[in-house]
Amino acid sequence: MKNIFSESPDMSSQRSLLRALGWSDSEISKPIVGIICAQSEIIPGHMHLDAIAKAASEGVIAAGGKPVIVPSIGVCDGIAMGHGGMKYSLPSREIIADGAEILLRAHAMQAAVFIGNCDKIIPGMLMAAARVNIPSVFVSGGPMLAGRVRKKKTSLSTMFEQVGAYNAGKISREELQNFECNACPTCGSCSGMFTANSLNCLCEALGMALPGNGTLPMVYSQRLALAKNAGERVMDLLAKNIRPLDIMTAAAFRNAETVDMAIGASTNTVLHLLAIANEAGVKDVSIDIMNEISEKTPNLCRLAPAGEHYIEELHEAGGISAVMKELYDAGLLDGEVMTVSGKPLKEVIKNAFNADPEIIRPIDNPYSEHGGLTVLKGNLATEGAVVKKSAVAPEMLVHCGPARCFDSEEEAMQAISSGKIVKGDVVVIRYEGPVGGPGMREMLTPTSAIVGAGLGSDVALITDGRFSGATRGAAIGHVCPEAAAGGVIGVIRDGDIIDIDIPACRLNVRLTPEEISRRLKDFTPKVKEANGYLGRYRMNVSSASQGAVLKKY
């Protein structure tokens, strides 16, 4: 278990640099464990990760390793929302994966503990773990507690919707200020089943994190104990040579997809699970299997924004282990898959129990017989589109209406804020895909404005961009092919009738094949200005239906 620098005379120069760091002979002889930590002072979910990293380091030391804390970048999607900064969020995932790969391989680290907490950070780190394939454990910083306004729990999604309510003249400036000061009361990942918490929960389902990783609140001291345990566990994985690709198998991804459907996770999980599976070389994870899994997986949880419950309540009810126990007992999970606990999943969850059948519905009394996400296809999305069905009002599950087309989020927001969108409309936002944006921005601002204006049960929104996990309503994203790639969404015109049938998994525009062909023949996609990293990203990114991963050459 010694590191490559420990004994050979040929490594004397390298050891001299380790000694320059203050390492002792004993430390030089131990396995080097990279603690990939995304701590920063701009992301509420990350501001405290230095404490988590320190705790994980203590666990590594206790188990005989030499921890080394190294950085990772990160973007706060909430702060980046609604302006040009959001173009960098999804592309940052590739930088996070590349950065972790570089740090781990360049310094010959033998194992890793990955510490992140927010949207693109966790999937980027999972991609790196699959790519580098050294023994690894994930530990998140934990969710923030829900806010409270007038004795009612709130979150970031509530905050965005209140902005929409204010713009619609439904609340005063003072009421908006009250929400602003109370919606996000602690650091941690935002408190609903948004993208960050979705991914932290799915780390457990994939087998890459210990129980409690996804739901244990940031403010609980148990979070530090969990990090210490993660540090100890990675040393055991190193001793047993259990690696990420031994854990992230095809069966593990199917488990994760099943849990995804059961908890009603963010639509962004579709992008990220595809990307992680791509790095892991798991070929049978595709957008086409998601409806298959959804069809047989009941929706057991309705957390904000789909419901009134929050992550802290899911934790109190038994967490993801309790959800998985419900699914496993029903024969919906593979219990033989390996986990970072060093035990198969069935052993990890055998003592889990559901302490609150309203937060985690029993398998025979689900919120819905089918999963929380649905992939739609049709002449408007031949490669697919994604909707969080569990967060759609029943009356909007089937909808048809005239298209109102916009070539950017900003154009759509101007129309929504000025009252130009009316009941029955289908708002179409295009040129926001991975290539067209470039960067595939999240559309929480327009969806929240629609809900805040009281139109959440009357107006649909479709886009080749994507949605925040905090989005609710008939919000359909990831429309592929995107407009910039010559997709049909690029040739829709105002007034074209769009048919949405979520139960039937269909998304169509009422145009004949001949009319679509004619329009596409005359169509030249717009090209938005992009330089620097975004320019390079646009040249190399694949379709959202493939996870928006960078093309391999």
Side-chain angles (χ1 to χ4, degrees), residues 199-352:
L199 267 297
N200 288 332
C201 289
L202 294 188
C203 278
E204 293 187 47
L206 268 175
M208 290 299 294
L210 298 170
N213 179 73
T215 59
L216 183 61
M218 165 269 155
V219 297
Y220 289 8
S221 296
Q222 288 173 274
R223 176 63 58 179
L224 296 175
L226 179 67
K228 291 176 184 177
N229 195 10
E232 293 175 350
R233 289 302 317 147
V234 81
M235 292 303 296
D236 184 61
L237 295 177
L238 180 59
K240 296 175 180 176
N241 196 31
I242 298 174
R243 299 169 183 254
L245 295 187
D246 300 321
I247 295 171
M248 290 193 285
T249 61
F253 276 99
R254 291 190 74 91
N255 281 352
E257 290 280 9
T258 300
V259 173
D260 190 344
M261 297 300 174
I263 63 177
S266 165
T267 53
N268 284 317
T269 61
V270 175
L271 283 173
H272 300 320
L273 287 174
L274 289 170
I276 299 160
N278 178 68
E279 288 288 353
V282 177
K283 303 297 184 184
D284 56 351
V285 175
S286 71
I287 199 168
D288 293 319
I289 72 165
M290 293 175 185
N291 281 346
E292 170 203 331
I293 293 174
S294 179
E295 186 65 24
K296 63 183 181 182
T297 305
N299 180 214
L300 305 182
C301 302
R302 286 278 171 94
L303 279 72
E308 299 299 318
H309 306 303
Y310 290 81
I311 292 291
E312 62 206 64
E313 296 168 82
L314 177 59
H315 182 71
E316 292 164 3
I320 296 302
S321 289
V323 174
M324 290 195 288
K325 185 67 160 55
E326 290 279 354
L327 297 169
Y328 175 71
D329 288 346
L332 295 173
L333 290 185
D334 186 334
E336 302 299 329
V337 295
M338 181 52 65
T339 70
V340 293
S341 297
K343 299 179 289 187
L345 180 66
K346 65 182 181 182
E347 292 296 316
V348 174
I349 63 174
K350 68 178 180 180
N351 295 321

Side-chain angles (χ1 to χ4, degrees), residues 31-287:
I32 301 175
V33 179
I35 311 292
I36 311 294
C37 177
Q39 191 275 337
S40 77
E41 295 183 352
I42 193 59
I43 305 177
H46 288 192
M47 63 178 288
H48 63 297
L49 292 188
D50 51 350
I52 303 297
K54 180 181 177 183
S57 296
E58 291 172 358
V60 169
I61 292 169
K66 170 58 181 173
V68 179
I69 299 174
V70 292
S72 171
I73 68 161
V75 171
C76 177
D77 279 24
I79 295 173
M81 197 75 66
H83 58 90
M86 178 49 74
K87 293 183 178 183
Y88 287 88
S89 175
L90 182 60
S92 75
R93 186 187 68 184
E94 315 309 311
I95 296 289
I96 291 160
D98 291 349
E101 173 195 355
I102 289 167
L103 286 165
L104 291 170
R105 285 184 168 162
H107 301 104
M109 296 176 186
Q110 294 163 271
V113 178
F114 288 88
I115 300 173
N117 211 30
C118 291
D119 296 56
K120 310 309 161 299
I121 293 87
I122 296 299
M125 288 179 169
L126 282 165
M127 291 165 67
R131 189 184 301 171
V132 178
N133 199 32
I134 57 176
S136 301
V137 177
F138 279 69
V139 57
S140 78
M144 69 170 64
L145 297 180
R148 287 186 182 272
V149 177
R150 301 191 202 93
K151 298 183 179 180
K152 185 177 180 180
K153 289 188 175 181
T154 63
S155 68
L156 182 65
S157 64
T158 316
M159 188 65 246
F160 272 91
E161 289 172 11
Q162 292 306 308
V163 173
Y166 172 74
N167 289 334
K170 294 179 178 292
I171 64 171
S172 68
R173 181 69 180 85
E174 290 71 24
E175 289 175 296
L176 182 64
Q177 177 77 7
N178 187 30
F179 273 98
E180 178 184 326
C181 294
N182 292 286
C184 301
T186 72
C187 60
S189 50
C190 297
S191 56
M193 187 54 77
F194 311 145
T195 307
N197 288 329
S198 295
L199 267 297
N200 288 332
C201 289
L202 294 188
C203 278
E204 293 187 47
L206 268 175
M208 290 299 294
L210 298 170
N213 179 73
T215 59
L216 183 61
M218 165 269 155
V219 297
Y220 289 8
S221 296
Q222 288 173 274
R223 176 63 58 179
L224 296 175
L226 179 67
K228 291 176 184 177
N229 195 10
E232 293 175 350
R233 289 302 317 147
V234 81
M235 292 303 296
D236 184 61
L237 295 177
L238 180 59
K240 296 175 180 176
N241 196 31
I242 298 174
R243 299 169 183 254
L245 295 187
D246 300 321
I247 295 171
M248 290 193 285
T249 61
F253 276 99
R254 291 190 74 91
N255 281 352
E257 290 280 9
T258 300
V259 173
D260 190 344
M261 297 300 174
I263 63 177
S266 165
T267 53
N268 284 317
T269 61
V270 175
L271 283 173
H272 300 320
L273 287 174
L274 289 170
I276 299 160
N278 178 68
E279 288 288 353
V282 177
K283 303 297 184 184
D284 56 351
V285 175
S286 71
I287 199 168

